[in-house]
Amino acid sequence: MKDRKLLMIPGPIEFTPEVMRAMGAPTTSHVAPNFIEAFGQALERLREVFLCPDGQPFVVAGSGSLAMDMAAANLIEPGDRALVVNTGYFGDRFGEILARYGAETTHVRAPVGDAPSLDDVEAALRADDYKLMTITHVDTSTAVCADVAGLAHLGRQYGALLVVDGVCSVAGEELRQSAWGVDLALTASQKAIGVPPGLALVVAGPRAMAAFQRRQSPVGCYYADWSQWLPVMAAYEARQPSYYGTPPVNLIWALNVSLGQILDEGMEARFARHRRLSAAFKAAVTALGMDQVPVSADKTATTLTAPYFPEGVDRSMLAHVKAAGVIVAGGLHPEIKSRYFRVGHMGVVNAADILATVGAIEKGLSRVAYGFEPGVGLAAAQAVLLEEN
Ligand SMILES: *Cc1c(COP(=O)(O)O)cnc(C)c1O
């Protein structure tokens, strides 16, 4: 294919041919039997992908930000206190959304590239009575991965509902919603779920649904109100027609196809593949003399990598990477935006994609006259890839 580019950004990602075929299929009615079947199956599969067998899934047209909005709109009542474990750009966004529904928010922050310690978070939890605590699992602006299991365990001790922004993690980074005590996890279609942009995906556990049922005041967002969507989700799962807002028929077919592919691989195998490919890519970054934004390996995502440009190199390098056939993303965090770039490696990504990306980055570095031994990044990645199988 002429001008073929490999899309290695933290969403949208590369999609499988089967997913793209579902996108292009002739659109039917949203109450056609084959659509009802696909929607019902997708809802069942979401529980398996989120590892939350007793969760209530919601699939609604919108982006990841709508999923965040839906969580806040349904769980927050004016005056509720919310604690935001903030690891970057998307923590700030969650804080703004919660405040829009009347929450009094407190942020526990850390320097860029770091995550607040469990002690810092516990001190905050002890100081006030929080209804809810949000965690960005992988902050896409920094590649920092939060200790969701540890934070959720802590939050439970203080009676807070645990809400995880998993937009850059679900179906890539290891996330065990039920086992870790996460009350609500959310994502969007275009990241590790592997479907074109347009779906907000939420799985609410029993404690989140109970908190919603106990509300005293109406939900402040008409479109996101679970009172409207709950009967719709229940109907589709019972293979019955239903309507509230017209569902994006082709996207939901594509979602069902992708969830099927994810479960065929298996969640454990999928987590392991993301870890292995991430380790290979990060080894290349290190071998090429680049530091990363996350301060330590145990705080680093496996779904993306955020390398600092090496000394003397700036973002003009990225155009050369693109010319070499691979699209990566620029910086996002306002404090360091011009000093680093981001590479997404999630979803259907494979070893060939990792090697192609490292090769294109070497090309870019060489075009801006950065001094390094050609192939040193490729060799480091390959060494990791050869370790298994
Ligand atoms: C991408 C992303 C979002 C926002 O999702 P949109 O689909 O762009 O609205 C929120 N949180 C995280 C962690 C993300 O990576």
Side-chain angles (χ1 to χ4, degrees):
M1 216 190 307
K2 199 165 172 288
D3 291 335
R4 186 164 57 91
K5 301 276 189 227
L6 181 62
L7 188 57
M8 296 292 285
I9 67 173
I13 62 167
E14 293 282 338
F15 306 124
T16 67
E18 294 78 13
V19 164
M20 294 315 289
R21 266 202 294 281
M23 290 301 294
T27 304
T28 65
S29 157
H30 60 287
V31 293
N34 63 337
F35 176 70
I36 293 174
E37 177 57 32
F39 201 163
Q41 193 169 44
L43 292 166
E44 290 161 2
R45 288 173 166 173
L46 273 178
R47 290 196 186 87
E48 294 182 58
V49 168
F50 281 65
L51 298 170
C52 189
D54 57 356
Q56 173 59 54
F58 295 92
V59 175
V60 176
S63 79
S65 303
L66 176 72
M68 298 165 80
D69 207 291
M70 186 177 254
N74 287 282
L75 295 179
I76 289 294
E77 295 192 67
D80 285 343
R81 291 182 200 283
L83 187 67
V84 177
V85 180
N86 191 318
T87 44
Y89 183 92
F90 288 105
D92 290 342
R93 179 174 298 185
F94 224 150
E96 282 177 34
I97 295 172
L98 293 161
R100 189 64 66 90
Y101 292 103
E104 291 175 26
T105 60
T106 301
H107 291 252
V108 192
R109 297 176 193 273
V112 179
D114 209 344
S117 69
L118 291 180
D119 286 347
D120 289 349
V121 174
E122 181 156 25
L125 285 167
R126 203 179 286 132
D128 217 327
D129 194 14
Y130 291 102
K131 175 176 186 182
L132 174 155
M133 169 167 142
T134 69
I135 305 163
T136 314
H137 190 182
V138 172
D139 197 292
T140 321
S141 72
T142 56
V144 168
C145 183
D147 173 9
V148 173
L151 289 165
H153 182 71
L154 201 55
R156 286 237 155 178
Q157 289 172 3
Y158 289 86
L161 286 171
L162 268 296
V163 172
V164 172
D165 171 356
V167 180
C168 201
S169 80
V170 171
E173 198 77 47
E174 180 180 348
L175 175 61
R176 303 177 190 280
Q177 183 171 348
S178 288
W180 290 357
V182 171
D183 296 303
L184 183 149
L186 61 91
T187 189
S189 49
Q190 78 274 18
K191 303 212 183 167
I193 289 281
V195 175
L199 291 177
L201 307 171
V202 174
V203 175
R207 293 201 325 157
M209 292 313 295
F212 164 70
Q213 304 293 1
R214 280 196 305 271
R215 287 182 69 95
Q216 302 293 313
S217 56
V219 171
C221 174
Y222 189 81
Y223 182 69
D225 189 346
W226 283 344
S227 326
Q228 311 286 0
W229 291 112
L230 205 49
V232 175
M233 299 302 141
Y236 277 104
E237 219 175 327
R239 307 304 194 263
Q240 297 294 321
S242 186
Y243 169 74
Y244 171 55
T246 306
V249 171
N250 289 67
L251 275 169
I252 288 171
W253 275 333
L255 174 68
N256 191 39
V257 169
S258 196
L259 294 173
Q261 292 179 329
I262 290 168
L263 293 170
D264 280 348
E265 179 178 19
M267 297 314 294
E268 302 309 320
R270 197 171 173 90
F271 296 149
R273 175 169 57 82
H274 281 79
R275 276 195 293 269
R276 183 171 73 252
L277 296 176
S278 170
F281 186 72
K282 286 171 171 68
V285 163
T286 303
L288 286 165
M290 291 185 274
D291 290 331
Q292 294 171 44
V293 175
V295 295
S296 60
D298 64 319
K299 290 178 180 166
T300 308
T302 66
T303 47
L304 86 154
T305 302
Y308 281 111
F309 293 114
E311 197 67 33
V313 174
D314 65 19
R315 59 169 297 132
S316 66
M317 171 205 134
L318 300 182
H320 299 295
V321 176
K322 182 176 171 190
V326 180
I327 297 175
V328 300
L332 179 62
H333 196 294
E335 275 181 49
I336 51 170
K337 199 170 166 39
S338 63
R339 292 171 44 208
Y340 76 113
F341 65 105
R342 297 173 301 146
V343 177
H345 31 72
M346 61 184 117
V348 289
V349 63
N350 62 20
D353 297 334
I354 295 294
L355 293 172
T357 304
V358 175
I361 288 171
E362 289 200 2
K363 180 78 189 239
L365 288 172
S366 103
R367 290 298 299 270
V368 296
Y370 173 65
F372 69 101
E373 190 190 323
V376 73
L378 287 164
Q382 184 70 304
V384 174
L385 295 171
L386 292 180
E387 272 167 23
E388 281 161 85
N389 302 329

Short mmCIF file of all heavy atoms in Angstrom, two decimals, residues 63-65 68 90 93 136 138 140 165 167-168 188 190-191, ligand 1:
data_model
loop_
_atom_site.label_atom_id
_atom_site.label_comp_id
_atom_site.label_asym_id
_atom_site.label_seq_id
_atom_site.Cartn_x
_atom_site.Cartn_y
_atom_site.Cartn_z
N SER A 63 -16.93 9.92 23.54
CA SER A 63 -15.51 9.59 23.71
C SER A 63 -15.24 9.24 25.17
O SER A 63 -16.15 9.18 26.00
CB SER A 63 -14.63 10.74 23.22
OG SER A 63 -14.57 11.76 24.19
N GLY A 64 -13.99 9.01 25.48
CA GLY A 64 -13.62 8.67 26.86
C GLY A 64 -14.03 9.75 27.85
O GLY A 64 -14.37 9.46 29.00
N SER A 65 -14.01 10.98 27.40
CA SER A 65 -14.38 12.07 28.31
C SER A 65 -15.86 11.96 28.71
O SER A 65 -16.23 12.34 29.82
CB SER A 65 -14.11 13.43 27.66
OG SER A 65 -12.75 13.50 27.29
N MET A 68 -15.99 9.58 31.56
CA MET A 68 -15.63 10.26 32.80
C MET A 68 -16.82 11.10 33.29
O MET A 68 -17.16 11.11 34.48
CB MET A 68 -14.42 11.18 32.57
CG MET A 68 -13.16 10.44 32.15
SD MET A 68 -11.87 11.52 31.46
CE MET A 68 -11.14 12.18 32.97
N PHE A 90 -4.86 14.14 32.70
CA PHE A 90 -6.21 13.57 32.80
C PHE A 90 -6.74 13.56 34.23
O PHE A 90 -7.95 13.49 34.45
CB PHE A 90 -6.27 12.19 32.14
CG PHE A 90 -6.20 12.32 30.64
CD1 PHE A 90 -5.03 12.00 29.95
CD2 PHE A 90 -7.27 12.83 29.92
CE1 PHE A 90 -4.96 12.16 28.57
CE2 PHE A 90 -7.19 13.00 28.53
CZ PHE A 90 -6.03 12.67 27.86
N ARG A 93 -8.33 16.92 34.35
CA ARG A 93 -9.63 16.88 33.67
C ARG A 93 -10.70 16.25 34.56
O ARG A 93 -11.82 16.75 34.65
CB ARG A 93 -9.53 16.11 32.35
CG ARG A 93 -10.89 16.04 31.64
CD ARG A 93 -10.83 15.40 30.27
NE ARG A 93 -9.99 16.17 29.37
CZ ARG A 93 -9.84 15.89 28.07
NH1 ARG A 93 -10.46 14.86 27.54
NH2 ARG A 93 -9.06 16.62 27.31
N THR A 136 -6.25 7.87 37.78
CA THR A 136 -5.97 7.67 36.36
C THR A 136 -5.01 6.48 36.30
O THR A 136 -3.88 6.60 36.78
CB THR A 136 -5.29 8.90 35.74
OG1 THR A 136 -5.98 10.07 36.16
CG2 THR A 136 -5.27 8.80 34.22
N VAL A 138 -3.42 4.81 33.76
CA VAL A 138 -2.24 5.24 33.00
C VAL A 138 -2.51 6.66 32.55
O VAL A 138 -3.45 6.90 31.79
CB VAL A 138 -2.01 4.35 31.77
CG1 VAL A 138 -0.91 4.94 30.89
CG2 VAL A 138 -1.64 2.93 32.20
N THR A 140 -1.97 9.33 30.19
CA THR A 140 -1.47 9.32 28.82
C THR A 140 -0.54 10.50 28.56
O THR A 140 0.19 10.52 27.58
CB THR A 140 -2.68 9.35 27.87
OG1 THR A 140 -3.67 8.50 28.44
CG2 THR A 140 -2.34 8.83 26.51
N ASP A 165 -10.06 5.83 35.84
CA ASP A 165 -9.98 6.21 34.44
C ASP A 165 -8.99 5.25 33.79
O ASP A 165 -7.78 5.38 33.94
CB ASP A 165 -9.49 7.67 34.33
CG ASP A 165 -9.17 8.07 32.89
OD1 ASP A 165 -9.24 7.21 32.00
OD2 ASP A 165 -8.82 9.25 32.68
N VAL A 167 -8.85 4.71 30.50
CA VAL A 167 -8.93 4.94 29.04
C VAL A 167 -7.65 4.46 28.35
O VAL A 167 -7.71 3.90 27.27
CB VAL A 167 -9.24 6.41 28.70
CG1 VAL A 167 -9.31 6.58 27.19
CG2 VAL A 167 -10.56 6.84 29.32
N CYS A 168 -6.50 4.64 29.01
CA CYS A 168 -5.26 4.20 28.37
C CYS A 168 -4.77 2.88 28.96
O CYS A 168 -3.61 2.52 28.83
CB CYS A 168 -4.20 5.28 28.51
SG CYS A 168 -2.89 5.12 27.30
N ALA A 188 -12.51 4.11 26.54
CA ALA A 188 -13.06 4.55 25.26
C ALA A 188 -12.65 3.54 24.20
O ALA A 188 -11.68 2.80 24.38
CB ALA A 188 -12.53 5.93 24.91
N GLN A 190 -11.25 3.73 21.26
CA GLN A 190 -10.09 3.89 20.35
C GLN A 190 -8.75 3.54 20.95
O GLN A 190 -7.74 3.63 20.27
CB GLN A 190 -10.06 5.32 19.80
CG GLN A 190 -9.52 6.38 20.77
CD GLN A 190 -10.58 6.97 21.71
OE1 GLN A 190 -11.63 6.38 21.90
NE2 GLN A 190 -10.29 8.12 22.29
N LYS A 191 -8.72 3.16 22.21
CA LYS A 191 -7.42 2.83 22.80
C LYS A 191 -7.25 1.30 22.79
O LYS A 191 -7.49 0.70 21.77
CB LYS A 191 -7.27 3.53 24.13
CG LYS A 191 -7.45 5.06 23.89
CD LYS A 191 -6.69 6.00 24.75
CE LYS A 191 -7.09 7.43 24.38
NZ LYS A 191 -6.65 8.44 25.31
C1 LIG B 1 -7.52 9.48 25.92
C2 LIG B 1 -7.78 9.60 27.38
C3 LIG B 1 -8.91 10.26 27.89
C4 LIG B 1 -9.88 11.01 27.04
O1 LIG B 1 -10.50 10.21 26.11
P1 LIG B 1 -11.21 10.88 24.84
O2 LIG B 1 -11.72 9.71 24.10
O3 LIG B 1 -10.13 11.63 24.11
O4 LIG B 1 -12.24 11.80 25.34
C5 LIG B 1 -9.10 10.27 29.25
N1 LIG B 1 -8.23 9.67 30.07
C6 LIG B 1 -7.14 9.04 29.62
C7 LIG B 1 -6.23 8.39 30.60
C8 LIG B 1 -6.88 8.99 28.26
O5 LIG B 1 -5.79 8.36 27.82
#
